[in-house]
Amino acid sequence: MPLKLDCGLFKYDFIDYHAILCVPIDADAKEVRKRYLKIARRLHPDSSTVVGETDKQIAHELLSKLVNPAYEKLSVERNRAEYTLVLSQIGKRLGQASASVDLNTDLAKELAIAPNIDLLYKNQITKIATTQFDELQQASRIISQISELNLVYLMRKSGQLIIQPQLPNASPPRTNLAPPTPPPPPPKEDSAVEQYVRRAQTLLQKNQFALAKVELQDALRLEPRNSRCHSLIAMAYLGENQLRMAKIHFDNALKLNPQDKLALEWKPKVDKALGIKPGATQVNSSSNHGDKQPDKSGSGGLFGGLFGGKK
């Protein structure tokens, strides 16, 4: 299966080794090695838990064609220094032509205008790294997504803003002494939790359930009693056919808000799929009662209408 990398720095015929390992542009040798060992445990046939011939083949290609060369390039101080210098030059060159650079992902667009670019960039890289190789058939897309973040970061750090804020037109001189009309209050900024929720909803719409869970887990660390976060993370677990985890969070959502619409709609369906009758407190065993096992194929049934089947 060919590994298609066509976004971010790869779009400009440049191999983005940092994106392959999902480490920041300024990662040192120790950080590179730590990340490489974690990826190698996931992909190497002697330690991998990958099943299925297709995924095993993808794991082999990722490790041999991308991950190992990336580690060889970034683990040696001299190689990394030369490579970083080339990166900085590419960032300056693309920064000067920023008007012609198209961004494909919401994360990259957010980074392009973020006031605190270093903090947001590091947070984005760290989050993606937790699930980068969970779904091997999506690995190329995720690496391309990381490379687009690296592209934006390099352009911003070169001093070339990708999106320049528009300055308001100069007001004509006033000819009367009447006090100026006060400007309307600035729009209220979303809280951190609301930003996590908004990103998670976008990811859920794209069936990127693992990334959506990361956003919602961060939100729940800030507001553990947010019923909306519980119901949304339950939907992410549903998308991965993890029914029991979905039930736990739907239950939490309804404890916090008995009127939560999402939980009210989907909890009965989850209970039914698990063989739990209305009002029951325990899951009935299918081996004892002959209940039909829930469909976990991801190809239809409970989840087909919402998520469109297994991708």
Side-chain angles (χ1 to χ4, degrees), residues 208-224:
Q208 297 180 19
F209 305 117
L211 294 177
K213 284 194 304 182
V214 173
E215 297 288 348
L216 292 165
Q217 286 164 354
D218 287 341
L220 285 170
R221 289 190 187 98
L222 297 177
E223 292 187 14

Side-chain angles (χ1 to χ4, degrees), residues 141-155:
R141 179 186 59 78
I142 294 174
I143 291 172
S144 295
Q145 180 185 46
I146 300 166
S147 186
E148 194 165 65
L149 291 176
N150 291 342
L151 170 64
V152 172
Y153 182 78
L154 288 168
M155 294 172 68

Side-chain angles (χ1 to χ4, degrees), residues 65-83:
K65 296 181 179 180
L66 295 180
V67 175
N68 284 341
Y71 178 67
E72 292 172 4
K73 175 65 70 172
L74 298 181
S75 61
V76 179
E77 182 64 32
R78 180 177 177 179
N79 291 345
R80 188 172 67 255
E82 293 174 353
Y83 180 77

Side-chain angles (χ1 to χ4, degrees), residues 100-283:
S100 63
V101 176
D102 294 325
L103 301 179
N104 299 313
T105 64
D106 292 337
L107 288 178
K109 293 174 183 177
E110 181 182 5
L111 186 64
I113 58 175
N116 191 339
I117 181 174
D118 291 284
L119 178 61
L120 181 59
Y121 170 70
K122 294 290 180 65
N123 286 342
Q124 289 175 334
I125 294 295
T126 300
K127 288 179 183 178
I128 296 174
T130 61
T131 58
Q132 183 185 9
F133 293 103
D134 282 2
E135 299 179 16
L136 295 183
Q137 297 187 36
Q138 298 296 321
S140 295
R141 179 186 59 78
I142 294 174
I143 291 172
S144 295
Q145 180 185 46
I146 300 166
S147 186
E148 194 165 65
L149 291 176
N150 291 342
L151 170 64
V152 172
Y153 182 78
L154 288 168
M155 294 172 68
R156 290 286 305 274
K157 297 302 284 187
S158 73
Q160 303 289 339
L161 290 177
I162 296 176
I163 300 179
Q164 297 286 353
Q166 294 183 350
L167 298 176
N169 295 330
S171 301
R174 301 185 65 86
T175 57
N176 56 56
L177 299 179
T181 303
K188 184 179 179 181
E189 293 186 0
D190 289 343
S191 68
V193 170
E194 289 170 338
Q195 293 177 26
Y196 284 129
V197 168
R198 186 173 63 251
R199 289 195 294 267
Q201 288 176 315
T202 299
L203 292 167
L204 285 172
Q205 292 171 358
K206 298 178 180 178
N207 288 356
Q208 297 180 19
F209 305 117
L211 294 177
K213 284 194 304 182
V214 173
E215 297 288 348
L216 292 165
Q217 286 164 354
D218 287 341
L220 285 170
R221 289 190 187 98
L222 297 177
E223 292 187 14
R225 297 182 60 81
N226 188 310
S227 64
R228 187 182 181 196
C229 291
H230 279 289
S231 60
L232 285 174
I233 200 170
M235 297 303 291
Y237 279 115
L238 269 182
E240 296 180 332
N241 288 345
Q242 298 187 46
L243 302 189
R244 297 188 185 279
M245 290 301 299
K247 172 178 168 52
I248 289 171
H249 284 282
F250 279 140
D251 286 341
N252 288 339
L254 290 174
K255 287 178 183 177
L256 296 168
N257 178 14
Q259 304 304 318
D260 188 291
K261 293 182 179 180
L262 203 56
L264 287 173
E265 177 183 359
W266 282 95
K267 182 182 180 298
K269 300 177 183 179
V270 173
D271 286 345
K272 182 178 179 181
L274 289 171
I276 301 175
K277 296 180 180 179
T281 58
Q282 294 183 349
V283 178

